[in-house]
Amino acid sequence: LHERLWAPLEASLAGCSRVRIAPHRLLHYLPWAALHDGQGWLVDRFEISLVPSARIGLGTTASAAPRFDRVLALGIGGSSLPHVTTEARAVAEAFGAGATLLLDAEATGAALRREAPLADLLHLACHAQFRADSPYFSALHLADGELTLRDAAALPLRAALVTLSACETGLSRVAPGDELVGLVRGFLLAGARHVMASLWTVDDASTAELMRAVYAGLIRGQRPAQALQAAQAALARAGHHPFYWAAFSLHA
């Protein structure tokens, strides 16, 4: 895939370190960071983000790293997601006094609708399901029910980053016209500037490790795409298989 998709672009990308990709059809499902040229991963060299279209990507100017003064960390664990509570607590502790933590029974739709509009960073760690047959019913599983794509789009968000730390949150159906329909779209429509989401059923423990590294980068003043690149590249250099770090992409 690297030889067919990326190698023809190498000359045009000489000197670049930040790349925005507007994927076409099935390329929406590709973990770009994990492309390999035989010497190294793409994430070693490029800060990658995905955009809905080339027009939007070209029209978005680079900005300073956002501030994360208000953070909402929501986690619903249990026996099937044993690391989620620890993950959500670690997010809240990392950002200190400005963080609100909602765990298990507290993590309801009403609590999310109350707290999410105030957050600069929204971290949602829970079960999720992508509905290929009816993408508008793709949902995050909260303590009192489902948060569907339509519910997400109705949230009045100002967040610089929404992290969907759950399984298959980045999956979407490619509709006619190459438009994506999925949870990421819902949160972008709600007003989020960036959404970090997964392409496959993620490993609970490795996701928690990745998120700690990403947020440490944000606290140091890195941009969301820059923080994700650094975290993924570190795990890749440590010898971890891409299954454990390449599921997450940043959408803007």
Side-chain angles (χ1 to χ4, degrees), residues 6 21 32 50 66 117 126 141 153 169 202 232 242 248 250:
W6 201 268
I21 301 173
W32 293 88
L50 306 182
C126 56
H141 297 175
T169 50
V202 291
Q232 290 180 321
F248 283 91
L250 192 78

Side-chain angles (χ1 to χ4, degrees), residues 85-105:
T85 298
T86 301
E87 176 186 332
R89 288 188 187 278
V91 172
E93 291 171 2
F95 288 95
T100 298
L101 178 63
L102 298 174
L103 291 177
D104 298 324

Side-chain angles (χ1 to χ4, degrees), residues 28-246:
H28 285 286
Y29 308 129
L30 183 66
W32 293 88
L35 292 185
H36 199 281
D37 64 0
Q39 301 297 320
W41 308 104
L42 210 61
V43 75
D44 291 327
R45 296 188 290 130
F46 295 102
E47 174 187 317
I48 299 169
S49 57
L50 306 182
V51 295
S53 70
R55 180 181 62 82
I56 292 174
L58 291 171
T60 304
T61 57
S63 58
R67 293 176 58 88
F68 297 101
D69 298 321
R70 299 288 297 272
V71 173
L72 174 61
L74 179 151
I76 303 174
S79 59
S80 58
L81 293 175
H83 296 276
V84 157
T85 298
T86 301
E87 176 186 332
R89 288 188 187 278
V91 172
E93 291 171 2
F95 288 95
T100 298
L101 178 63
L102 298 174
L103 291 177
D104 298 324
E106 300 174 330
T108 64
L112 179 63
R113 286 188 289 272
R114 181 182 67 247
E115 300 291 342
L118 306 174
D120 304 310
L121 167 61
L122 178 58
H123 180 94
L124 303 175
C126 56
H127 274 299
Q129 183 180 22
F130 170 64
R131 287 278 302 273
D133 60 325
S134 185
Y136 280 101
F137 289 95
S138 298
L140 298 175
H141 297 175
L142 302 180
D144 59 344
E146 295 183 340
L147 182 85
T148 67
L149 183 156
R150 292 183 186 275
D151 298 327
L155 294 171
L157 298 182
R158 69 175 195 190
L161 175 63
V162 172
T163 297
L164 304 179
S165 181
C167 298
E168 303 178 349
T169 50
L171 289 181
S172 304
R173 187 184 70 184
V174 181
D178 207 30
E179 183 177 89
L180 289 181
V181 182
L183 285 169
V184 168
R185 178 187 178 190
F187 283 96
L188 290 174
L189 288 172
R193 285 170 53 192
H194 303 89
V195 178
M196 186 161 56
S198 63
L199 285 170
W200 56 76
T201 302
V202 291
D203 176 75
D204 193 18
S206 59
T207 297
E209 182 180 1
L210 177 70
M211 293 303 161
R212 282 194 295 270
V214 170
Y215 292 150
L218 296 181
I219 291 168
R220 291 195 299 270
Q222 293 179 334
R223 299 179 304 277
Q226 184 182 19
L228 178 59
Q229 180 201 13
Q232 290 180 321
L235 290 172
R237 287 193 297 270
H240 294 275
H241 190 278
F243 171 80
Y244 295 102
W245 55 262

